[in-house]
Amino acid sequence: MNYNFKDIEIKWQNYWFENKMFKASNDPNKPKKYILDMFPYPSAQGLHVGHISGYTATDILSRYYRMKGFNVLHPFGWDAFGLPAEQFALKTGKDPEGFTKENISNFKKQIIRSGKGIDWDREISTAEPYYFKWTQWIFKKLYEHDLAEIKDVEVNWCKDLGTVLANDEIINVDGKMVSERGNYPVVKKAMRQWVLKITKYADRLLDDLELINWTHSLKEMQKNWIGKSQGAIIDFKVFESNHKIQVFTTRPDTIYGVTYVVLAPEHELVSSITTDSEKESVLNYIEETKHKSDLERQTNKEKTGIFSGSYAINPLNNKKVPIWIADYVLPEYGTGAVMAVPAHDERDFEFAQNFGLDMIEVIKNDSDDSYTGDGIHYNSGIIDGLNNEQATKKIIDYLTQTKTGYGHATYRLRDWVFSRQRYWGEPFPVVYDSDDNIIILDEEDLPLLLPKMKNIAPSGTGESPLANAHSWLNVEYKGKNVRRETNTMPQLAGSSWYYIGFILKEILGMIPLNSEEAKEELKKWLPVDIYLGGTEHAVGHLLYSRFWHKFLYDLGIVETKEPFLKLINQGMVLGPDNQKMSKSRGNVINPDDIIDEFGADTLRVYEMFMGPLTAEKSWSNESVSGIKRFLDRVFRMYQFEIVDEVEELNNVYHQTIKKVTEDIENLNFNTAISQLMIFVNDAYKVKKISHEQARGFIKLLNPFAPHITEEINKVVLNVKEDLIYSTWPSYDEKYLEVSEIELVIQVNGKLRARIMTKPNLTNEEYEKMALSDQNVIKHLENLTIRRVLVVPNKLVNIVAN
């Protein structure tokens, strides 16, 4: 009897979907478990096996916790706005809304075909008015609480795409910034943009990382991105001028070692302090800088710069030092100006070497290079003889008393540039009157919809295509003739709160975010217990989501300080050639093809068996076939005689329950599957299985392979209860004790013997047993034993030479 996976998988997928089997209940007597995937952008390419890997992992957890008695919320949705859809529309002439919905339909079919158990009543799309009404409402509240403003800011401008790009949408090619999509030139440009003041939340974003179960590396990425630095702001007067340059430094104790001051090319004083003789050179240098990414400017070993022609005065010793302009200083760090101490700063040292500038040592050390450590200060006036901490305090006290500076903390984190010059995005709920005053739309006027436009090409003015939607653009509001905001919100707007949207979603729309009912629902489900996705979102989506969540916390809408309790980053699935999957390499594996040939259960089990969830893994078609054979063996196992008791399988059965349970809890899905295989192998040795073992085993396998197990449960075992809502098996401790174990014997790490013996003997007994084995004795001839390492019940390794 063969397992006809094609018919059976479709049968169960239809049954689950039509009967809404995965709908989250509101049973207050059950503990909740909110398990979430980072939702996808619905591209025309459809899902790949990398998506399915992560989605299967969360589905396993959802099915497991449901069987463990939890009320599970496992929703799904679509990150539907954004630049890719707009670019595709421009190339094909299609409406971005129409083909985005077509892509969503295709993605949804693929998700269902994979066997993923979703509460589809909670499905959301960020491009639907019922949803982005509340994205607009959140922006309105941010503005009302002085967390949104419009101002001139330096942005990454792509003329060919007609829009501002985020840093993660840019790559570097031959030393120039280009767009990741299309490789179009990108330059730095000052533009009037909406900005969200995330920097006001910087300390909370740092401090509250202690509240969440994220990996150390991921937390460090956020800490480094926020980049809090403690130091001082110091005023350097410009010689023979009314201007003063405010610099930020983390080492005010080294101020006596300043030999020059550096301004970022974008600094507001550059044009004012540059002398006429240096004007042309400085302008050319500024133009060159516009084509460089921030990363290149920070990491380029060969420092570039240009002398401004002016000088600054050190407020501690009144020495005159030259003012340079250099791209290794970024406008968004500190004040965009630094005091350069080449003897005690690596970047300043490299710059000074390149341009032959002075170096003054002020901390005693034996280094020939820049010395950045602590030490006793000399050549340092009022702080001679002091160490770093003492000197820093005294300098800040002096600056404060003389009103030439003060202690200050600064952040690498910049405020969030929130404008995009695109059509396909959330419109701002903003209009301007004839005097350019900002008017935010009332709540009853939300959502503000996008106009239907046949031509969504860039406006040509630097504005979004909405500038050409004249009947939409110029309207009357509250008795005034007004003009709408033409920018739209970035794609990250909708994804910053979608985990909340799932909770509030109803069949006909959403529970209003500002209602008491919403607060009760959010209190019930938040925070997200398990959130799974890629590391590429560490300092974009994850940071902005935390910011918006904290703002909603301040409004009293949510009761938790953090949105995502446990975060898991799944490893990438590489192609059969061990390379990242891409169309150009021709190594992309389409999940539809695998499901057609082998079935969804095979795909799911294979992807979880490839290796640890968080590790990078390579695809193997041969191994897929092996998993299919395993599932066929499982199906045939249920043709064995099923009896009341099979004592020979009791030990391995209860060991399997324990291991699979612990492995799922710890995300060790590959070793859980290995244990399930061990049970099947042992069952084939006795050719029979008990009723308890038969049902218990398919419960254990169900989260990994839900179709075949439900079919066996209903058709073979004739059980009416669905496995989805059955109870997870429990193990009996008395069967966990084993009477015999296999002891592996190694000599210098190489396998030399396997010995079956009693468990839990002393290390001395295991050592004696190993040393008496004939093959071990043979491989120890003419060698001197140096030490013997014993891993109880597992291994003896003899080190000899």
Side-chain angles (χ1 to χ4, degrees), residues 154-160 170-179 184-189 265-266 283-297 327:
E154 193 88 2
V155 295
N156 303 313
W157 171 250
C158 181
K159 181 180 178 182
D160 294 87
I170 298 167
I171 57 176
N172 189 288
V173 176
D174 297 329
K176 302 286 186 181
M177 290 192 298
V178 298
S179 62
Y184 298 114
V186 176
V187 296
K188 295 286 186 182
K189 181 179 179 180
E266 300 87 351
L283 289 173
N284 289 338
Y285 184 76
I286 290 171
E287 192 60 34
E288 288 173 16
T289 303
K290 289 180 180 179
H291 297 276
K292 294 182 182 179
S293 69
D294 290 351
L295 182 62
E296 183 190 2
R297 287 169 64 171
D327 63 13

Side-chain angles (χ1 to χ4, degrees), residues 209-210 212 214-223:
L209 285 170
E210 301 305 315
I212 49 183
W214 293 15
T215 62
H216 174 74
S217 62
L218 199 55
K219 287 184 179 182
E220 285 302 305
M221 287 173 75
Q222 291 224 340
K223 286 178 182 178

Side-chain angles (χ1 to χ4, degrees), residues 185-198:
V186 176
V187 296
K188 295 286 186 182
K189 181 179 179 180
M191 292 182 68
R192 199 156 174 75
Q193 303 283 298
W194 278 102
V195 172
L196 300 187
K197 300 177 185 178
I198 188 174

Side-chain angles (χ1 to χ4, degrees), residues 381-425:
I382 64 172
I383 55 172
D384 273 352
L386 302 182
N387 64 18
N388 177 291
E389 186 178 346
Q390 296 164 331
T392 296
K393 184 179 184 305
K394 191 163 184 176
I395 290 294
I396 291 176
D397 287 344
Y398 176 85
L399 293 169
T400 305
Q401 290 166 12
T402 58
K403 297 182 179 179
T404 53
Y406 51 90
H408 183 70
T410 191
Y411 302 86
R412 181 175 178 267
L413 177 68
R414 296 294 92 199
D415 282 334
W416 180 6
V417 178
F418 200 65
S419 299
R420 296 294 183 270
Q421 293 66 47
R422 301 173 186 159
Y423 167 77
W424 190 235

Side-chain angles (χ1 to χ4, degrees), residues 82-224:
L83 182 60
E86 185 155 320
Q87 289 301 298
F88 188 78
L90 287 169
K91 288 178 181 177
T92 62
K94 291 186 176 181
D95 171 39
E97 181 179 8
F99 79 80
T100 296
K101 287 183 177 179
E102 289 174 15
N103 294 342
I104 287 173
S105 177
N106 181 46
F107 269 51
K108 187 170 179 177
K109 287 175 185 174
Q110 288 184 293
I111 293 287
I112 292 170
R113 282 196 79 196
S114 76
K116 189 171 176 67
I118 294 296
D119 182 352
W120 288 111
D121 283 352
R122 295 178 185 263
E123 178 185 9
I124 60 172
S125 166
T126 58
E128 291 293 338
Y130 68 76
Y131 181 83
F132 70 72
K133 168 184 178 176
W134 295 103
T135 308
Q136 293 171 340
W137 182 85
I138 294 171
F139 173 83
K140 173 181 168 68
K141 291 300 172 186
L142 286 162
Y143 179 81
E144 291 171 356
H145 286 77
D146 193 32
L147 289 169
E149 66 175 341
I150 194 163
K151 65 178 184 178
D152 289 328
V153 291
E154 193 88 2
V155 295
N156 303 313
W157 171 250
C158 181
K159 181 180 178 182
D160 294 87
L161 294 177
T163 188
V164 168
L165 298 178
N167 287 333
D168 57 7
E169 295 174 309
I170 298 167
I171 57 176
N172 189 288
V173 176
D174 297 329
K176 302 286 186 181
M177 290 192 298
V178 298
S179 62
E180 185 179 39
R181 177 166 289 271
N183 281 23
Y184 298 114
V186 176
V187 296
K188 295 286 186 182
K189 181 179 179 180
M191 292 182 68
R192 199 156 174 75
Q193 303 283 298
W194 278 102
V195 172
L196 300 187
K197 300 177 185 178
I198 188 174
T199 49
K200 287 194 173 184
Y201 283 73
D203 281 324
R204 288 167 65 182
L205 289 167
L206 277 173
D207 296 343
D208 289 351
L209 285 170
E210 301 305 315
L211 303 177
I212 49 183
N213 181 11
W214 293 15
T215 62
H216 174 74
S217 62
L218 199 55
K219 287 184 179 182
E220 285 302 305
M221 287 173 75
Q222 291 224 340
K223 286 178 182 178
N224 293 336

Side-chain angles (χ1 to χ4, degrees), residues 435-446:
D435 295 322
D436 229 20
N437 295 311
I438 295 169
I439 302 170
I440 303 291
L441 300 185
D442 290 338
E443 185 181 324
E444 56 265 29
D445 297 317
L446 302 180

